Amino acid sequence: MPLSLATSALLTLFQLSSVSAAEKESADKPTKTSSEHSKPEPVRGTQANRLETSGVPVFGYDSNTGVEFGGLVNFAKFRRNYFPYEWRLRAWARLSLKGTPNGVVTPLHDHGIDLDYTGLGAGPGKVGELRLRTRLGFEKNSQAGYYGMGAGSLRDDSRVAAQYNAYFYNSVAPYTWLLMRLAVWRKIQETPI
């Protein structure tokens, strides 16, 4: 998994905390019922059309991969009638350094980009709306452990003494995926009784 759950949660909290003061004020105002709406009120300032950015540094340590560092950045374009945003671009990079008997190695590399685009096809909020999400990345872990098959596999300490990484292998995984979601119907609104 290229992004840990904790990193994703931190990014979400960071982005949610970047709501502008104008948006907070508008959220405190009472909303009108549908009969009170004669025409939509114009959105003031940058509430409807804005670009938000956020970022989270990544730091960690693991006895297999060493000291890890990197970062995650997020760009989201908000526009009226697009939910939750018009598009979001997320990019990340992680690298680890570990001291070994042969010197310092970089056992972990993880780099990627993720694009989520809403409101394609018939347009936002309509039947036929298409949402596109794609990801492109690369992950390398030269400290992936393998000790054999089954419960009978044993670690041979003399083999580890001769070669520190005797039970590790290189896991190299370039990857990409594409996800498309098409709206085939909309939720039926409840009518008050």
Side-chain angles (χ1 to χ4, degrees):
M1 199 67 185
L3 298 174
S4 69
L5 182 60
T7 303
S8 295
L10 282 172
L11 178 66
T12 303
L13 287 173
F14 183 77
Q15 184 153 5
L16 290 176
S17 68
S18 67
V19 176
S20 69
E23 289 173 299
K24 289 178 183 176
E25 287 177 15
S26 66
D28 294 337
K29 293 179 183 176
T31 58
K32 296 180 180 180
T33 62
S34 60
S35 61
E36 294 174 311
H37 283 288
S38 57
K39 63 179 184 178
E41 291 184 26
V43 178
R44 307 213 189 296
T46 60
Q47 294 177 33
N49 191 11
R50 69 186 189 277
L51 177 67
E52 288 188 4
T53 60
S54 58
V56 176
V58 175
F59 299 102
Y61 175 78
D62 181 293
S63 60
N64 287 334
T65 58
V67 177
E68 178 183 329
F69 57 93
L72 174 85
V73 293
N74 196 39
F75 302 93
K77 172 70 171 170
F78 294 89
R79 202 164 104 186
R80 183 187 290 272
N81 298 328
Y82 288 83
F83 181 79
Y85 37 70
E86 183 180 4
W87 57 263
R88 181 193 68 199
L89 180 68
R90 181 178 286 176
W92 64 92
R94 294 187 305 159
L95 179 72
S96 71
L97 299 173
K98 180 181 181 182
T100 68
N102 298 334
V104 176
V105 295
T106 57
L108 178 70
H109 295 266
D110 182 13
H111 318 284
I113 191 163
D114 181 294
L115 175 65
D116 186 5
Y117 208 102
T118 64
L120 299 172
K126 299 178 182 171
V127 172
E129 175 186 3
L130 179 68
R131 184 171 183 171
L132 173 74
R133 187 161 181 206
T134 185
R135 180 175 285 182
L136 177 66
F138 174 80
E139 186 173 333
K140 175 190 171 230
N141 184 356
S142 62
Q143 301 292 311
Y146 178 75
Y147 300 95
M149 294 178 59
S153 61
L154 298 173
R155 177 182 162 121
D156 182 357
D157 289 332
S158 64
R159 187 173 171 201
V160 173
Q163 183 181 1
Y164 83 96
N165 61 351
Y167 290 102
F168 295 131
Y169 70 97
N170 262 335
S171 169
V172 178
Y175 61 91
T176 186
W177 54 261
L178 175 67
L179 172 69
M180 292 184 287
R181 293 184 280 179
L182 180 65
V184 292
W185 74 85
R186 289 286 163 202
K187 180 179 176 182
I188 298 172
Q189 299 292 327
E190 292 183 17
T191 55
I193 298 176

